[in-house]
Amino acid sequence: MFEVTKAEEEEKSSSPPSSPMPVPAPAKSNSSLRVTVPSELQGVAYIEVLCQKDQEDLCSANINLLNSAPTTANPDVHWQQKLEAAQNVLFCKELFNQLAKEAVQLQAPIPHMVVGNQIMATVLPGIQLVIGLCHSTSSEKKSSQLTPPPSKSDHDHVLEHSLHQLLREVHHKNTHHPFPHPSSAPLGPSKKRYLAGPMAADRYELLEMTQSETLLEQIIKQAQHFFMRMRTEYVLDTIAKEVKDPLISSHWNTLNSPTQSCVKINISTHGYDAVCRTPLVIHVGEKSLKCICRDGKVMHMSYEPQELRDLIFCHINQHQILAVQALAKTMGWQFLGNSNHLGLGAVEPLGNASSCLLASPIGDRLIAVRCEPQSGVQVSVVHSPRTDFFPSRLVTERKWEHLGGQFREVRLEKMEGRNFLHKMELLMASLTSNS
């Protein structure tokens, strides 16, 4: 492919100078070697990975040219730069051929497509992964300078870094084989396969050793995780903007793998952080989410963002109920009971309603709190003894007046207070009697 010859010495021009003060020509670096590169390895080449949602844009995707890399057709380029540019073109073509071969051999639920210099694979429903080989020569570059380059999508450095890291790991595995290296055995098998005979491995264990992920499968998994992380970030940011009370803060782990991330969510109320805080830990995988709740319960969710949104809203309601109970203890109120899945009232379209019942220190006031995912928080109050109790022929004793009457709803929007817990603190303080 490459032809390396000795460069001939340039003939010195013997023509006399045309002016008495000749202008010295710029110094030109002469090389002792001359490299001849075939036309198919000249120019600039790179592989572009695109993720698209609209299927109509797959066939009309345009690829921009790289203007920073040197062209091998320029005779003034140093021979080492020529070899590096040709090696880059050869690497991109070999890598694309390997990915195209794997795309044809893999049996996916939605078959992969290889059309020309593009590989199209389905990452998630409605999301396509397009891997294209971009190769341009000097003649193509001159003709493309007349037309403006097409608009390019947003460049993501995180995905690019993870793909470069993946290629580096594959290269390291191919060049660094595990020890020991027997003199009569081929290089490449792992240490487990070397020990399969002495350890008497069965057929099932041998099949597990031979199974390995292809390069295209690893790229697809990284793209799936990339979109799952983007969806999770969007859902959390949207809920944090919509819900002002309580506050929702997300803390992403900085040390993540290319196919798994972790985010910790804290649900708290401003000014009452020390009273109650609801933590959540979400592990973002490739096609699923795993949520570890406050009580240690583990919940698995699919790639649909609505499931994560419903889970966050349900935990917001539970946080309000738990925060009211913790605040009641600090105020000296008695906690009578609660229910996270209340069966009374209208059926909720999302989740279940939660409620709790609180009593004043001497038991003459009761506060009922009902929290619904859609309707919000409802607070009702009842007094004991009843002010509208009158003895009758059936109920003659005065002790029955301590049962209380019907609960009366409190209009929280008319109360003073910066948030829900602040209003509940003022309400419990006003209902607490000194007697």
Side-chain angles (χ1 to χ4, degrees):
M1 288 187 179
F2 305 103
E3 182 181 358
V4 181
T5 58
K6 184 178 180 181
E8 299 178 358
E9 296 183 358
E10 297 181 356
E11 297 180 359
K12 299 181 180 180
S13 59
S14 58
S15 59
S18 58
S19 60
M21 297 296 294
V23 179
K28 185 178 179 181
S29 59
N30 297 327
S31 176
S32 59
L33 297 178
R34 176 178 296 173
V35 177
T36 304
V37 180
S39 58
E40 60 269 11
L41 296 182
Q42 294 181 1
V44 179
Y46 64 98
I47 292 179
E48 187 175 22
V49 179
L50 293 177
C51 299
Q52 300 175 348
K53 289 186 178 181
D54 194 0
Q55 296 183 358
E56 297 179 357
D57 297 334
L58 289 179
C59 298
S60 61
N62 296 321
I63 300 174
N64 295 335
L65 300 177
L66 286 178
N67 299 323
S68 58
T71 173
T72 55
N74 188 2
D76 298 335
V77 177
H78 194 264
W79 64 271
Q80 187 174 1
Q81 295 181 356
K82 280 188 177 182
L83 289 179
E84 291 177 355
Q87 188 178 14
N88 176 55
V89 175
L90 181 61
F91 167 75
C92 293
K93 289 188 175 183
E94 291 292 336
L95 178 59
F96 183 81
N97 292 336
Q98 177 67 21
L99 295 177
K101 181 180 178 181
E102 295 175 356
V104 175
Q105 294 178 352
L106 289 177
Q107 297 180 358
I110 301 179
H112 307 316
M113 296 179 60
V114 181
V115 180
N117 289 340
Q118 285 188 349
I119 301 174
M120 289 168 283
T122 301
V123 178
L124 293 173
I127 299 177
Q128 299 287 332
L129 176 68
V130 181
I131 303 175
L133 173 63
C134 310
H135 183 204
S136 62
T137 58
S138 59
S139 59
E140 295 176 357
K141 182 180 293 185
K142 292 179 181 178
S143 61
S144 64
Q145 289 177 355
L146 302 177
T147 59
S151 59
K152 193 176 181 180
S153 58
D154 295 336
H155 186 75
D156 189 87
H157 298 279
V158 177
L159 181 60
E160 181 181 358
H161 173 73
S162 61
L163 293 177
H164 279 282
Q165 189 177 12
L166 172 62
L167 295 177
R168 183 177 179 86
E169 291 178 358
V170 173
H171 174 71
H172 186 271
K173 290 181 181 179
N174 293 335
T175 55
H176 296 74
H177 301 287
F179 289 96
H181 292 167
S183 58
S184 59
L187 293 177
S190 61
K191 187 176 181 179
K192 291 184 179 180
R193 294 183 62 183
Y194 286 138
L195 300 177
M199 299 300 294
D202 55 2
R203 181 175 178 272
Y204 179 75
E205 294 178 354
L206 291 175
L207 289 177
E208 282 188 346
M209 296 177 188
T210 56
Q211 293 178 357
S212 61
E213 291 182 347
T214 61
L215 185 59
L216 181 61
E217 288 178 334
Q218 298 180 30
I219 294 177
I220 292 176
K221 286 185 177 181
Q222 290 192 9
Q224 290 173 347
H225 172 71
F226 173 74
F227 273 98
M228 290 294 296
R229 188 173 66 247
M230 285 184 57
R231 286 183 174 182
T232 305
E233 293 175 357
Y234 176 76
V235 170
L236 295 179
D237 293 343
T238 304
I239 296 178
K241 293 178 182 178
E242 294 177 359
V243 181
K244 302 300 181 182
D245 180 27
L247 302 177
I248 301 175
S249 57
S250 304
H251 303 276
W252 287 87
N253 193 1
T254 56
L255 300 178
N256 299 321
S257 66
T259 56
Q260 187 171 4
S261 302
C262 180
V263 55
K264 183 178 181 181
I265 304 172
N266 287 326
I267 304 176
S268 59
T269 305
H270 178 65
Y272 298 87
D273 299 348
V275 176
C276 182
R277 178 179 296 180
T278 302
L280 295 174
V281 178
I282 297 179
H283 295 275
V284 183
E286 301 157 6
K287 283 188 176 182
S288 61
L289 299 175
K290 183 176 73 172
C291 178
I292 303 176
C293 304
R294 176 180 179 177
D295 54 355
K297 185 185 299 182
V298 179
M299 303 184 66
H300 297 272
M301 295 168 287
S302 65
Y303 53 83
E304 292 293 340
Q306 187 64 32
E307 296 184 10
L308 177 61
R309 184 181 178 88
D310 298 346
L311 179 67
I312 298 298
F313 274 105
C314 291
H315 278 81
I316 289 176
N317 298 332
Q318 295 181 7
H319 168 78
Q320 298 285 42
I321 297 298
L322 295 176
V324 169
Q325 298 176 17
L327 180 63
K329 293 180 181 179
T330 60
M331 298 289 293
W333 281 58
Q334 303 174 12
F335 169 66
L336 300 182
N338 73 325
S339 175
N340 292 329
H341 305 283
L342 192 62
L344 300 177
V347 179
E348 289 292 323
L350 170 62
N352 296 323
S354 304
S355 65
C356 67
L357 190 62
L358 307 174
S360 61
I362 62 175
D364 60 339
R365 303 288 189 273
L366 294 179
I367 297 179
V369 182
R370 177 187 175 95
C371 191
E372 301 175 357
Q374 295 290 340
S375 304
V377 183
Q378 299 177 2
V379 180
S380 303
V381 179
V382 65
H383 295 263
S384 177
R386 295 172 54 181
T387 57
D388 57 346
F389 178 80
F390 300 99
S392 62
R393 296 177 58 184
L394 297 178
V395 183
T396 58
E397 299 180 1
R398 300 287 301 181
K399 65 179 181 179
W400 299 108
E401 67 181 359
H402 294 282
L403 291 178
Q406 295 182 353
F407 281 88
R408 292 180 295 178
E409 186 176 355
V410 179
R411 301 178 64 179
L412 293 177
E413 64 275 3
K414 299 295 183 179
M415 290 184 58
E416 296 182 356
R418 57 181 178 269
N419 49 45
F420 170 67
L421 287 185
H422 191 200
K423 294 179 180 180
M424 290 300 300
E425 182 181 2
L426 297 178
L427 179 62
M428 285 187 285
S430 63
L431 294 179
T432 302
S433 58
N434 297 327
S435 59

